[in-house]
Amino acid sequence: MSESEDTRRRGLKLVEPTKEELEQLDRLREGHPWQLTLRDFLSRVCSEFGYTLCEMEVFDPQGNLAIKLPYLKNPDGRVIHLPGNLAMDDMLDEITTGSLCRRMRVPPEDWGLLAEEPYDDDFDDCL
């Protein structure tokens, strides 16, 4: 018995997906704009916002290279330290991407995230 005959026998009907459903599936396959590796995120920040990716070498007491710590330099010279628990090939999640955007003062909307509400300096009035 062929597969289509078996399907008809059980009362199931195969339905072709609509164009809208296929487009939704393509968007899901593409992933989210904030879903990048740290390396890709930093590359985009450097190319679009003028940051420079730098590295500081840390040596052990014997003079051997122990670790290289990456950091960013803002075009105005400000240094942005990167979280030490992230490797360049780590995939970022929505929260980490948003946190990095705030730290670097770049618009989270460029990564498909919602804009942060500005903080009200005088929040005592709310109490």
Side-chain angles (χ1 to χ4, degrees):
M1 176 181 313
S2 74
E3 186 178 332
S4 62
E5 288 173 355
D6 185 44
T7 303
R8 272 186 260 146
R9 226 171 131 211
R10 289 185 280 165
L12 298 176
K13 181 180 176 187
L14 296 176
V15 178
E16 292 294 319
T18 65
K19 181 180 177 185
E20 182 179 294
E21 290 170 330
L22 291 172
E23 289 171 356
Q24 283 178 334
L25 185 59
D26 286 341
R27 284 194 300 272
L28 287 172
R29 283 187 189 135
E30 289 173 6
H32 301 286
W34 47 262
Q35 228 171 3
L36 299 167
T37 62
L38 179 60
R39 181 182 323 280
D40 293 337
F41 177 85
L42 295 176
S43 174
R44 186 171 164 197
V45 166
C46 290
S47 68
E48 293 181 19
F49 296 97
Y51 282 82
T52 304
L53 182 60
C54 305
E55 213 171 51
M56 183 173 84
E57 296 178 340
V58 179
F59 296 90
D60 66 16
Q62 289 78 31
N64 300 318
L65 179 63
I67 192 168
K68 292 181 180 182
L69 298 172
Y71 64 94
L72 288 173
K73 257 190 173 174
N74 190 324
D76 65 6
R78 186 172 55 96
V79 172
I80 293 94
H81 298 283
L82 300 173
N85 61 341
L86 286 177
M88 287 297 192
D89 293 321
D90 284 349
M91 184 64 68
L92 302 178
D93 61 18
E94 185 176 7
I95 294 169
T96 306
T97 303
S99 176
L100 289 169
C101 287
R102 281 190 302 280
R103 185 178 288 202
M104 296 171 200
R105 299 182 184 156
V106 297
E109 301 91 342
D110 289 2
W111 278 268
L113 300 172
L114 295 176
E116 292 288 320
E117 291 293 325
Y119 292 110
D120 187 3
D121 291 335
D122 190 19
F123 59 87
D124 291 333
D125 296 338
C126 298
L127 300 176

